[in-house]
Amino acid sequence: MATADLASTRRTWDSAPRDLRAAFATAECGQAFSEFHQHLFESLGSRRDLLEGLASAAGDSANAYEDTEVIMIMAITSLRDYTGARLGALCRAVGFPGSNDEPIRLLHELLGPMGARPLLEPPQWESDVADDKTPIEFSVAFDENGSPTIRILVEPVAAQPSHRANMELSKQLLHSLSDRFGFSLDQFHAVSDLFLPEEPQGKFAFWYSLVLRPNGPPAFKLYFNPEIRGHCRAPRLVQEGFDRLGFRDAYDTVVKHGGRREHHLDRFSFFSIDLHQRVHPRVKVYLSHHAAEAASVEWAAQATDGVKPGQVEQFCRLAGGGTGPFTRRPLISSFAFVEGDTDRPSGYTVYLPVRDYVTDDEAARARAIALMRQHDLDPAVLDRALNAVARRSLAEGVGLIPHLSLRLGRSRPGITIYLSVEAYEVAPPRASALAS
Ligand code: TRP
């Protein structure tokens, strides 16, 4: 604009009638004015170049600004606010009544003091709940009539985290929850000295699962670590745990079907109890099958009555892209025993760590959708759930869908899709999916 103004003044001057100019200025005056004019013109011109340069730099930094904004949000958002917001969105996505904020309050409580830390601060505790150390993981379980249940796996983390401190925090939470929700602690007391020793070892000591149904009270499960006294003592611990809870023949069945391979390829990974008002809740034991083929889990599933041959293998093909061997993270089996079961479990579940057998989450989603279609479930629910939890596009990483699982047997058969919160990190897509 300044340039245009000056140019037009100059033009007016240059084109003015001769005697008007003569009358206006002497030759020196004209010369001086012309020099001044030229100087002003150049200096405004260079200022204009400078401003243009600044404008284009501002344009370039628009993207940088967006990145900065994400960092600023992470600096002021706590882990509990972030995961609480994601949980609220997930509840809405799967059609839970919108007004209930009890799930979010319970999640806050279960997270413990670590929940107050901003996302930008690195996690103080390397939780094994999720790959990026976020101490929570969501899952959406569908049963045969399609109605979803939301579950949240949580590791409560103390202010000064350690196995012991986290364990103490989890115990306090347990007592306060049992008072409020009226569930019995008999089962917990029956096995707690086995699984909660003075000197805990291994990846974790005590995890919770919070189970939410659209129109019912929340339920809870506890996960113990069979390797808490070291890998070698895990089988004894599991056997003793089953004995104390009244399932004397369970251990032999589980080992016969799930633990037959040599060299510690089948390892006990979790021992879990449900917390209910009922006196005899459910007990579940989990085995990870390292480098296993689908045939191993196919046989494991036969521990349960009424499992159709080929069902588990077909699940491995759909969810895992083949029949193995699955040499990255292991396939996992769980065997569920409820009151009345003697030697055979009434439920079997196979878990496939799908994130290890795909290149990115587009591919993981495609596997999950294939599974949903096979079970006559509407895949739109999954897309809504992914939108609620993710803050990135599916092709940008791998791990948003960490596991897919298939539940068989009498108790609520169906499939479950796990969802990572990725509060701390996103794993980049990988180059190849590893043929399996
Ligand atoms: N992150 C661990 C794993 O992937 C533990 C775990 C979290 C897990 N959620 C799970 C194991 C669901 C099996 C199924 O092994």
Side-chain angles (χ1 to χ4, degrees), residues 127-131 137 153 203 207 270 286 329-330 332 351-353 355 402-403 405 418:
S127 179
D128 190 46
V129 165
D131 297 351
E137 179 186 76
L153 181 63
K203 289 185 178 163
W207 287 351
F270 306 100
Y286 295 67
R329 281 192 190 75
I332 297 180
Y351 308 80
L352 192 143
R355 65 197 183 290
H403 290 92
S405 76
Y418 292 76

Side-chain angles (χ1 to χ4, degrees), residues 142-144 147 149 213 407-415:
F142 299 90
D143 55 29
E144 276 174 341
S147 77
T149 303
R213 299 208 168 79
R407 241 169 12 262
L408 300 166
R410 268 181 282 131
S411 45
R412 292 177 180 270
I415 62 165

